[in-house]
Amino acid sequence: MSGFQELVFSGVQPTGNLHLGNYLGAIKKFVALQDSNDCIYCVVDLHSLTAQLVHDDLAAQTRSITAAFLASGIDPRKHIVFNQSRVMQHAELAWIFNCVARIGWMNRMTQFKDKAGKDRENASLGLLAYPSLMAADILVYRATHVPVGEDQKQHLELTRDIAQKFNNDFSDRIASLGVGVEMKVGDETVNGFFPITEPVIGGPAARIMSLRDGSKKMSKSDPSDLSRINLTDDADTISKKIKKAKTDPDALPGEVDGLKDRPEAENLVGIYAGLADTTKEKVLAEYGGRQFSEFKPALADLAVEKLAPIAGEMRRISADHAYVDSVLRDGGERAGARAEATMKTVREIIGLLDN
Ligand code: AQP
């Protein structure tokens, strides 16, 4: 894609129990990408303050997300795993991006509109500026690829806009300092300090929906625990939740086209495909024509088979605070060195004295 060294970055907020959507939409991709890429995975604790400022168990949740990363198979020695607040350069670059981005861009973010609700005037400034911090998380490492679920697509487009605007606004300084990198954006070759990051979104599980309502995404903050499968759920709970999942009375279709206007059926087929590393087409080739009374137990067995080992590992790793903290400390030191290298140049580009 560009003259930038390829680097994968992504983050997860410590805002509650991780669920199947987080796992299939994001963490499973993190694991797959680590074989052939340099990766940085972050527990974005500063982001979580936009949801809840005063928190009894932020430290416990930060450790729990870290344990989920490790239990899912992320290797913290080959790659970097850390919590965001250890590397203050994220917040520093976010401030600069607050001055690059426009309020209108932030106001258009659907996540802000959803989370702020009707009383936007009363939403925190942090919630509005969330995408600016997310852009900083990514660009402070000049990351080229970001694996996320589909709900983050708009924020990644904004990250691209921020990078592009910074590159344009400071093009003369970037050129005179000789710190630009040539990259291809669409058909054009451009020069800039920050890469125009590529989202890694896709596959059958990019957007997992609530088990109770196929029009709402599976979410940590849904008040109904039956709406999601938590990574920590035991086998009985997983089976019970899948059995109770909302469906329609028809049998599964033989083709993907037949899932149109059947959001709950499409969701369960997507979950099966995501867990089995296959496609919806292949799932329907096997289960087309069968009733949910047959499909749901097969899905429950598969979910238990794939998730139970992760839950067990999570429990084991979470209990070892000293180990988890050492991973975050070591990752924070390595991430901090990389982030500071970027920020030294950013300060120079802007003209902030730090000598
Ligand atoms: N339902 C989903 N399907 C696929 N991917 C999903 N992700 C979240 N929900 C789904 C992806 O998981 C990663 C981490 O998400 P996050 O914790 O940073 O933020 P979130 O999107 O706010 O997660 P939740 O669970 O939906 O929390 P609340 O309830 O607070 O809004 C991201 O890559 C995200 O795309």
Side-chain angles (χ1 to χ4, degrees), residues 19 21-22 115 148-149 151-152 206 208 217-221:
H19 53 72
N22 300 129
K115 297 212 165 175
V148 281
D151 58 319
Q152 291 300 324
I208 299 295
K217 79 162 188 155
M218 187 177 283
S219 165
K220 295 180 201 124
S221 56

Side-chain angles (χ1 to χ4, degrees), residues 103-291:
I103 291 177
W105 299 2
M106 301 294 168
N107 271 327
R108 280 195 288 278
M109 293 296 108
T110 51
Q111 182 170 298
F112 172 67
K113 290 190 219 167
D114 289 349
K115 297 212 165 175
K118 289 206 172 70
D119 193 8
R120 273 207 222 172
E121 289 288 308
N122 210 21
S124 76
L125 197 51
L127 188 65
L128 181 68
Y130 182 112
S132 196
L133 179 58
M134 179 164 160
D137 298 336
I138 296 163
L139 294 174
V140 82
Y141 304 103
R142 299 166 93 196
T144 55
H145 292 84
V146 182
V148 281
E150 209 172 78
D151 58 319
Q152 291 300 324
K153 195 169 171 207
Q154 198 186 29
H155 286 164
L156 284 180
E157 278 159 13
L158 195 83
T159 298
R160 291 164 65 94
D161 292 342
I162 289 175
Q164 211 142 15
K165 186 165 186 306
F166 183 96
N167 289 343
N168 288 340
D169 290 352
F170 291 101
S171 59
D172 291 348
R173 301 285 278 267
I174 292 168
S176 70
L177 289 167
V179 292
V181 174
E182 215 156 76
M183 65 191 125
K184 210 142 167 65
V185 181
D187 293 336
E188 253 186 290
T189 302
V190 296
N191 193 282
F193 180 69
F194 286 120
I196 307 302
T197 302
E198 296 284 339
V200 184
I201 302 175
R207 188 175 182 82
I208 299 295
M209 309 310 280
S210 155
L211 297 180
R212 307 300 298 160
D213 177 351
S215 68
K216 275 178 26 192
K217 79 162 188 155
M218 187 177 283
S219 165
K220 295 180 201 124
S221 56
D222 193 311
S224 166
D225 195 53
L226 286 175
S227 70
R228 66 185 156 257
I229 293 173
N230 302 304
L231 286 193
T232 47
D233 283 344
D234 61 25
D236 283 351
T237 309
I238 293 175
S239 300
K240 188 182 88 189
K241 286 180 177 176
I242 291 176
K243 197 169 159 204
K244 285 185 179 264
K246 185 175 167 203
T247 45
D248 54 46
D250 297 337
L252 282 170
E255 309 277 337
V256 172
D257 271 357
L259 292 171
K260 215 168 148 262
D261 300 324
R262 297 181 64 188
E264 284 86 13
E266 177 159 25
N267 190 36
L268 294 188
V269 171
I271 291 175
Y272 193 106
L275 286 168
D277 276 323
T278 185
T279 59
K280 289 181 188 171
E281 285 81 358
K282 288 197 174 138
V283 177
L284 292 179
E286 189 176 347
Y287 289 98
R290 310 245 207 123
Q291 296 293 332

Side-chain angles (χ1 to χ4, degrees), residues 70 76-77 317 320-328:
L70 305 177
R77 288 171 313 242
I317 296 169
D320 191 348
H321 283 192
Y323 170 63
V324 172
D325 291 357
S326 74
V327 165
L328 294 174

